[in-house]
Amino acid sequence: MKLVYVFCGAGLVTGADLAFAADGPVTQPNPILVTATRTAQTADETLAPVTVISRAEIEASQAKDVIELLRFHAGIDIARNGGPGQTSSVFLRGTESNHTLVLIDGVKINPGTIGGAAFYSLDPDVIDRIEIVRGPRSSLYGSDAIGGVIQIFTRRGAAGTTARVFGGYGSDATRDSGVGVHHQGQAFRMGAEIADYRTDGFPTRVESEIDNGHKNTNVNAYVGTKLGAVDTELSHWRGKGTTEYLDFFLTPLSQDFLNTASALTLKTSIASMWAATVKLSQSLDHLDQKQGPDFAHTRRNTLEWQNDVQAGANHLVSVGLHSAREYTTALSFGTGFDERTGTNAVFVQDQWHAGAHSVVAAWRYTDHEDFGVHHTGDVTYGYELTPALRLHAAAGTAFRAPDATDRFGFGGNPNLEPETARNLEAGARLRLSPGSSASANVFYNDIDQLINFVDPDGFFGPIPGMNQNVDKALIRGVEAGYEINAQPWSARISAIAQDPKNRDTDRQLARRAKRSLTLSTRYQSAGWSVGGNALVTSSRPDSDSPSIINPGYGIVTLLAEWQPARAWVVRGRIENVFDRAYVLADRFNTQGRAYFLQLQYSYQIHPESSP
Amino acid sequence: MILRFACLSVAIHATALVGWHVSTQPWSLAAPELRVTLAAAESRAALAPRPNAVAARPARSTREAPAVPVTEPSPGAESKPSYEVATDFARIDHQENEEYAHRANHMRALLYTALDRYFVYPMLARRHGWEGRVEVSLRLEADGRLSNLRLVRSSGYPILDLNAIDTLQRIGALPQTHAGATIPQEHVLLIVYHLLDG
């Protein structure tokens, strides 16, 4: 009885309080807050060594090309034949330059012809963030992911409508400019950005006085909708331009390049525990020599369907289908080909937690038009010793399919097998405080069937040389990193000690250093910040023949940023502050001390719903 | 007499409003049942009015006021809801009202602190970057059991909604240290799923 009075009374008492709740659902004073850190898209960083280069870090670095961003992370060796825009190579954990898979918004951009991904074609101004996962990832991503995966995400803009315009000028008549506009609404989003970069450059070869310039225009555009449980997006990225260089005889030449990554992506929840992603994509990699007939063109069309199913409270299963058709045409010093290669694959990944234990296991079945069926798999075990200390151990295999040049170019051999790798690694991550963490990994990578040109009786002998699966490499290493965010200071330091060698000759692999140390620091105050990047690396043999050793070097870049008003930012950069002459490739120049100044204006309309 | 009638009027109006509100809910795990939330009322429990001010209240409270289908306080006797009319409304005890309000707030705080640690972000939602706010209504029994779990407001992602309800079902009851003499109450819990960057 009393209950009745009390209930009625309570209802009446607080009726007045509900007056302001009439517009919407009643909010509670202290909700149950369930949080987790956002996982990197490429891999779960509690179980794999993942480095994320955020938008803030990209802007702070003022890097003009992606090579400049990557080099200040130990474990990533780079080589470049000159300045920005020139032919460059990236070696992840001492592996080959074509052992790193590069994706832009989920689309593979590695060429189907010789070489690694076209880093020269990417302008950091259109990049939102870069995720670098070291170690074999072929089970999930297929061919080329032996050293790791570099996944690049183009900019999408913050909630509401944002626009920006920027321009800059620096040494060697380097100019960059760009404009972009984004709209991110609840159900609809779209955006477009153009970034233009051009430089007169400097002579690529030490023997020459002729400047070799470069120009590159990047476009990033997308439109997407989120209606109910279905998210659809059409995205397109392109990098197009021209690079000047000197040939073997120091004759000035130039070549045009075009790289694109376009995709139609559909994400939906099929059931409450089942999310599916379908992606139809195309990537282009074109190089056209302007003074002669040589060229290399790749067009890759891919269809993927991935299903993620939460099979239990702590159990996530992913199953994916992947189908790609690669059209490669090329002409190089008289040898040409026009080939189509089809690859189909299915993969499964199973991830589950039980208390402090986690296990991830993945397996991929690949059916390649030429070499047939290939299996890869990997398993990772993670253990949370304490909430601050996580350990992991992994074993896995990876592969690189022979590209069209290996099979049909000079010395081409259509019967080539894929290059294979077996990897073992273990590591630990320790959260020292809310703003600082340290990590260490030890790895062992055994690579077999490496493709190399073999000519037993020499170039002038009667028997023609041929590409064969002959080489073996072994890379062992230990890497460590520490980062701290204690405003106004933030800093990151990483180091690697590795032994990348040819197993037959015992020689150190070309262009890869045994020891590297990198440091990045930043001091942020109200309205301005200063920072710097430093890299020290040991000597590297220039090629497989041991005679030429490029000495170790150190390089320091200083950065400053000033925000005079909310919408304006001024950025300044001094690259190679000590004007150190160093060598990345024998007889090729590197950037001396260079200055750059950039001004940016940005405009932002916040969504109406936020206060 | 008028006060008795006022209380009945409030109860009937509120029931009608809630009935409309409940019928528009798209999804529910429990059997569809007319259940009302008292939580909003409890969370803002102010000092009880003096009995003579009660007559002025009904007009405002009917706008959005939930009323509670009154049942016997013993947990075993749950059946269909029934309504009782106050026989002598004027004898509402001011002291009891205040005590009740404090007790309600105390139970709410206990609920949040006790349940907080049981929630784990669903792997699928974390992988896809899904975030949202889920509102679940439940009945806290006298012995600490959580019953009658219902989805009040969806986050837009079924897996987050399902995770909220399943976690509460698995919890089953407040831990013994927190239970004790409680009166059965309805609560609406807000569970916010949020992903932290880096």
Side-chain angles (χ1 to χ4, degrees):
Chain A
M1 222 26 135
K2 226 176 240 178
L3 199 62
V4 177
Y5 303 148
V6 170
F7 276 11
C8 277
L12 295 171
V13 158
T14 57
D17 295 306
L18 294 174
F20 59 82
D23 293 332
V26 179
T27 53
Q28 311 304 303
N30 357 290
I32 293 176
L33 191 61
V34 188
T35 57
T37 47
R38 200 177 292 272
T39 56
Q41 288 195 34
T42 318
D44 187 338
E45 56 267 37
T46 58
L47 296 166
V50 179
T51 299
V52 178
I53 304 180
S54 65
R55 180 68 213 160
E57 190 177 332
I58 294 174
E59 286 187 349
S61 76
Q62 301 176 46
K64 291 291 147 254
D65 78 350
V66 175
I67 297 290
E68 287 297 317
L69 271 176
L70 297 175
R71 75 187 306 187
F72 291 107
H73 291 266
I76 305 179
D77 289 295
I78 58 123
R80 190 165 61 197
N81 295 357
Q86 300 298 332
T87 306
S88 43
S89 310
V90 171
F91 310 89
L92 212 56
R93 274 192 178 172
T95 56
E96 300 299 307
S97 62
N98 56 9
H99 283 178
T100 299
L101 177 67
V102 181
L103 305 161
I104 295 185
D105 294 330
V107 181
K108 174 177 175 178
I109 62 162
N110 297 63
T113 54
I114 191 170
F119 288 103
Y120 52 78
S121 168
L122 280 158
D123 189 329
D125 282 318
V126 302
I127 297 176
D128 181 66
R129 77 181 185 284
I130 302 178
E131 290 176 4
I132 304 164
V133 182
R134 300 182 290 287
R137 292 284 135 200
S138 281
S139 304
L140 275 187
Y141 293 100
S143 174
D144 304 5
I146 291 180
V149 177
I150 295 180
Q151 184 148 208
I152 294 166
F153 299 92
T154 54
R155 285 165 55 96
R156 287 289 179 269
T161 305
T162 54
R164 67 170 189 147
V165 59
F166 65 88
Y169 189 87
S171 304
D172 299 324
T174 303
R175 297 139 276 167
D176 78 352
S177 58
V179 63
V181 62
H182 297 272
H183 174 76
Q184 292 274 340
Q186 288 273 52
F188 178 73
R189 60 186 184 272
M190 68 182 291
E193 286 200 322
I194 297 182
D196 186 88
Y197 172 86
R198 46 193 76 207
T199 179
D200 286 354
F202 54 84
T204 52
R205 290 283 296 269
V206 297
E207 307 95 325
S208 176
E209 298 284 322
I210 302 170
D211 284 346
N212 298 126
H214 169 74
K215 68 176 189 209
N216 182 4
T217 305
N218 262 219
V219 171
N220 167 37
Y222 62 94
V223 60
T225 62
K226 184 172 167 13
L227 302 166
V230 182
D231 186 304
T232 314
E233 182 171 292
L234 190 62
S235 64
H236 175 73
W237 166 82
R238 74 164 34 196
K240 183 176 157 80
T242 308
T243 305
E244 294 169 352
Y245 63 100
L246 302 170
D247 74 356
F248 182 79
F249 303 102
L250 304 179
T251 311
L253 299 173
S254 60
Q255 61 184 13
D256 290 334
F257 63 86
L258 171 68
N259 289 82
T260 73
S262 318
L264 174 64
T265 310
L266 217 89
K267 288 186 190 170
T268 181
S269 287
I270 295 181
S272 60
M273 300 299 209
W274 179 6
T277 308
V278 177
K279 193 184 208 86
L280 181 65
S281 65
Q282 178 179 87
S283 70
L284 296 179
D285 183 293
H286 287 186
L287 270 175
D288 288 273
Q289 216 286 315
K290 290 178 84 158
Q291 289 79 22
D294 287 3
F295 67 93
H297 291 179
T298 301
R299 181 173 92 246
R300 185 185 294 116
N301 299 332
T302 308
L303 178 62
E304 294 161 286
W305 177 24
Q306 179 166 337
N307 300 286
D308 300 314
V309 178
Q310 178 117 17
N314 295 309
H315 192 186
L316 188 61
V317 180
S318 300
V319 180
L321 293 172
H322 178 108
S323 183
R325 296 289 174 271
E326 206 173 85
Y327 301 87
T328 44
T329 55
L331 181 64
S332 178
F333 296 111
T335 309
F337 56 83
D338 185 346
E339 295 294 327
R340 172 191 167 280
T341 309
T343 309
N344 297 316
V346 59
F347 66 88
V348 180
Q349 180 181 266
D350 201 346
Q351 179 173 2
W352 70 99
H353 303 300
H357 307 269
S358 318
V359 182
V360 184
W363 168 79
R364 187 187 191 91
Y365 168 100
T366 304
D367 187 3
H368 186 277
E369 196 169 311
D370 281 348
F371 66 75
V373 171
H374 188 79
H375 299 262
T376 44
D378 55 67
V379 60
T380 307
Y381 166 70
Y383 181 64
E384 195 177 296
L385 196 60
T386 73
L389 178 59
R390 289 170 179 275
L391 309 173
H392 80 269
T397 60
F399 75 104
R400 184 188 81 89
D403 58 51
T405 309
D406 291 329
R407 288 175 288 138
F408 309 108
F410 181 75
N413 176 1
N415 299 318
L416 284 169
E417 294 292 316
E419 300 176 339
T420 58
R422 292 175 309 160
N423 185 79
L424 289 170
E425 71 177 85
R429 265 183 78 99
L430 177 65
R431 191 161 301 277
L432 298 157
S433 72
S436 69
S437 65
S439 67
N441 298 302
V442 56
F443 61 89
Y444 173 99
N445 208 345
D446 185 355
I447 307 173
D448 234 335
Q449 306 274 58
L450 283 164
I451 294 166
N452 210 343
F453 182 75
V454 177
D455 198 351
D457 59 359
F459 188 74
F460 300 102
I463 306 169
M466 200 164 71
N467 296 325
Q468 293 190 23
N469 296 96
V470 285
D471 284 349
K472 301 177 172 54
L474 178 64
I475 308 152
R476 297 168 301 170
V478 54
E479 52 191 23
Y482 171 76
E483 57 185 289
I484 182 160
N485 199 335
Q487 293 300 333
W489 282 101
S490 60
R492 172 177 62 77
I493 184 168
S494 60
I496 188 167
Q498 63 183 5
D499 184 20
K501 63 181 184 185
N502 180 317
R503 267 229 314 265
D504 291 327
T505 64
D506 243 13
R507 289 199 205 113
Q508 186 175 337
L509 296 172
R511 310 275 170 99
R512 279 149 275 187
K514 282 193 173 175
R515 293 176 308 279
S516 290
L517 177 74
T518 64
L519 172 68
S520 273
T521 62
R522 193 163 177 216
Y523 178 88
Q524 272 173 291
S525 184
W528 60 273
S529 74
V530 292
N533 295 324
L535 159 69
V536 179
T537 184
S538 64
S539 65
R540 298 135 287 127
D542 190 61
S543 69
D544 288 334
S545 66
S547 50
I548 301 168
I549 308 280
N550 298 324
Y553 68 91
I555 183 173
V556 176
T557 296
L558 288 181
L559 311 158
E561 196 174 290
W562 174 45
Q563 193 167 3
R566 204 165 66 90
W568 294 92
V569 182
V570 181
R571 294 193 179 97
R573 162 186 159 104
I574 307 176
E575 192 180 326
N576 196 354
V577 172
F578 302 111
D579 202 14
R580 174 74 196 272
Y582 62 98
V583 183
L584 290 176
D586 181 51
R587 286 194 265 168
F588 284 89
N589 282 320
T590 51
Q591 182 85 63
R593 186 187 301 128
Y595 307 87
F596 199 81
L597 195 68
Q598 188 189 74
L599 176 68
Q600 178 182 280
Y601 174 76
S602 54
Y603 177 67
Q604 210 158 358
I605 305 174
H606 289 285
E608 294 75 20
S609 55
S610 59
Chain B
M1 186 68 178
I2 291 177
L3 292 171
R4 225 179 289 167
F5 187 76
C7 208
L8 176 62
S9 169
V10 163
I12 291 172
H13 276 96
T15 311
L17 277 169
V18 165
W20 169 84
H21 176 70
V22 160
S23 70
T24 60
Q25 289 310 304
W27 193 85
S28 167
L29 263 191
E33 219 184 287
L34 187 63
R35 279 293 180 200
V36 181
T37 67
L38 180 65
E42 293 173 69
S43 71
R44 283 154 183 78
L47 284 176
R50 288 173 296 285
N52 58 6
V54 166
R57 296 276 173 165
R60 264 165 120 191
S61 62
T62 51
R63 198 156 120 204
E64 186 90 13
V68 180
V70 176
T71 60
E72 290 302 304
S74 60
E78 290 283 308
S79 55
K80 63 183 186 98
S82 61
Y83 298 87
E84 280 188 44
V85 180
T87 52
D88 195 343
F89 197 72
R91 280 196 291 145
I92 286 176
D93 188 0
H94 171 102
Q95 196 75 2
E96 257 180 29
N97 247 354
E98 196 177 310
E99 203 178 285
Y100 179 80
H102 285 320
R103 183 92 72 83
N105 276 344
H106 179 62
M107 288 322 304
R108 156 176 315 292
L110 277 183
L111 264 180
Y112 281 121
T113 53
L115 303 183
D116 203 285
R117 77 181 89 103
Y118 291 91
F119 283 81
V120 175
Y121 216 106
M123 293 167 74
L124 184 62
R126 194 172 166 216
R127 169 85 62 89
H128 284 266
W130 296 338
E131 302 175 284
R133 302 158 70 91
V134 185
E135 285 180 29
V136 177
S137 79
L138 55 80
R139 186 177 173 79
L140 178 62
E141 302 292 355
D143 60 357
R145 270 189 310 121
L146 307 172
S147 65
N148 286 331
L149 298 167
R150 271 190 99 243
L151 179 73
V152 169
R153 182 169 174 238
S154 165
S155 60
Y157 298 107
I159 191 167
L160 295 178
D161 303 335
L162 211 59
N163 179 265
I165 302 249
D166 281 353
T167 308
L168 290 167
Q169 273 185 334
R170 276 191 301 112
I171 294 169
L174 280 185
Q176 280 312 302
T177 49
H178 294 290
T182 73
I183 44 173
Q185 294 172 337
E186 300 281 335
H187 293 274
V188 171
L189 297 186
L190 172 65
I191 301 135
V192 175
Y193 291 90
H194 177 61
L195 287 170
L196 309 166
D197 292 315

